[in-house]
Amino acid sequence: MQRLEISDLITAVDPHSGRRLPVRRSEVVARLRAGGDRRAAGIVAGLPVDGDGVFDPRAVDRLLIGVHTELQRLSEELRMGERLVQVLGPLFTAIRAAGGRSGPYRLVDVGCGLGYLIRWLAATGALGADVELVGVDLDAALVGEAGRLAAAEGLDCRFVHGNAFALPKTATVFVSTGVLHHFRGPALGRFFQAQAASPADAFCHFDIAANRLAPLGAWIYHRARMRHPLGRHDGVVSARRAHSDETLLRAAGTAGIRPLLYEPGGTANPFCTTLRPVIGVRPQLEAPFRSALGRDARRLVGPEHLAPATR
Ligand SMILES: C[S@@+](CC[C@H](N)C(=O)[O-])C[C@H]1O[C@@H](n2cnc3c(N)ncnc32)[C@H](O)[C@@H]1O
């Protein structure tokens, strides 16, 4: 039985209007029990509701901001900023070299949460002054907190509440961290198709590498470093729900996009590879991207490298 993440169930937003929808605690508890996850059902049963049994939105927001603040520590410790720049730096070099469009370029972080990566990129200037940095999230509370932190830190970046694929100005490159495993079944294909159908040149989505050690590693890390039971629960479930290399390469390979996986399973040390990106580039960008990566280009594989049965 596929386990569910509590944070996916306790808030709901209309993806078109961005309006928050009421969520009934009893329905979430029943779903978790039906999935055999009594521990998660117990955590949810303790969350505050109003007289109609609907979650208190302010309490849920506070809780999710707290859990994401703890999650930020994971991004810091895994040096996610540096990992991102290792791939995005050469990607923007390739886009500049290909010359199809002039700057400024726009990087959009889909599901930015508290916006740690966008804020880190703004603070370090690592991608260059011609890359505009935008974080987008459907969750008003998280993206609101991201904007507040960026203002407090005096950073040159923007945070937008809404659907990252419905922005008035589109992205040059879409990026995300820890988002892909939330999309299940056909929703994963739709996530990539939305980007292929946009004028974007590329995407680069980091998520947990699906290997046998991932759930154990997640359990040890979350036990040691996360305080809230919801964060501990969802951290381990995320690792269990991580998509395989094959699933990601297949889903990302939509029309007009060349799908590539950086550090696929079997080539990298499973103790070190915790998050790795699936990348999609317009076909004419592949050669300049490989060239800009230099020696790191050997870490990149396409679907032709998969075993024939899974291709
Ligand atoms: C697990 S959180 C990721 C948080 C963040 N990236 C981090 O690493 O801390 C996933 C987020 O993706 C957001 N999301 C999903 N689809 C989205 C879309 N199309 N546009 C904007 N945000 C989206 C959800 O609202 C949710 O807050």
Side-chain angles (χ1 to χ4, degrees), residues 68 71 75 109-114 136-139 142 162-165 177-179 182-183:
H68 278 79
L71 254 184
S75 296
D109 184 359
V110 184
C112 64
L114 297 183
V136 188
D137 206 296
L138 288 167
D139 188 303
L142 292 178
N163 182 348
F165 306 127
T177 53
V179 170
H182 290 272
F183 294 101

Side-chain angles (χ1 to χ4, degrees), residues 79-264:
R79 304 176 75 86
M80 283 309 298
E82 284 91 340
R83 280 175 194 238
L84 213 75
V85 169
Q86 200 177 7
V87 180
L88 287 183
L91 198 48
F92 277 105
T93 301
I95 290 169
R96 289 181 192 106
R101 60 166 104 199
S102 57
Y105 306 100
R106 186 171 301 109
L107 179 73
V108 171
D109 184 359
V110 184
C112 64
L114 297 183
Y116 169 72
L117 285 168
I118 289 289
R119 288 185 286 112
W120 188 91
L121 291 168
T124 57
L127 293 180
D130 60 349
V131 180
E132 190 189 328
L133 302 167
V134 185
V136 188
D137 206 296
L138 288 167
D139 188 303
L142 292 178
V143 77
E145 180 65 3
R148 189 189 70 77
L149 291 168
E153 294 159 9
L155 298 173
D156 184 13
C157 55
R158 236 162 23 91
F159 289 98
V160 179
H161 172 219
N163 182 348
F165 306 127
L167 298 174
K169 286 185 184 174
T170 187
T172 315
V173 176
F174 287 105
V175 70
S176 74
T177 53
V179 170
L180 290 178
H181 65 272
H182 290 272
F183 294 101
R184 317 301 305 175
L188 184 66
R190 287 197 297 272
F191 175 81
F192 289 116
Q193 280 150 20
Q195 295 161 78
S198 83
D201 283 334
F203 56 73
C204 175
H205 298 291
F206 280 76
D207 205 3
I208 304 158
N211 62 50
R212 278 181 297 126
L213 293 174
L216 176 64
W219 184 83
I220 293 171
Y221 180 87
H222 286 80
R223 198 74 212 160
R225 306 293 278 137
M226 304 284 277
R227 279 183 296 270
H228 199 282
L230 187 156
R232 287 180 169 179
H233 173 272
D234 282 6
V236 176
V237 173
S238 305
R240 285 205 186 135
R241 299 210 303 166
H243 294 300
S244 69
D245 292 356
E246 292 76 21
T247 300
L248 289 177
L249 276 173
R250 225 180 296 120
T254 60
I257 288 289
R258 164 79 169 142
L260 297 161
L261 197 70
Y262 196 72
E263 297 186 331

Side-chain angles (χ1 to χ4, degrees), residues 249-297:
L249 276 173
R250 225 180 296 120
T254 60
I257 288 289
R258 164 79 169 142
L260 297 161
L261 197 70
Y262 196 72
E263 297 186 331
T267 65
N269 180 344
F271 288 99
C272 301
T273 313
T274 41
L275 282 93
R276 49 91 180 95
V278 62
I279 299 164
V281 293
R282 299 293 173 196
Q284 68 277 15
L285 276 179
E286 182 177 358
F289 177 45
R290 285 184 179 276
S291 149
L293 274 169
R295 272 176 60 77
D296 284 342

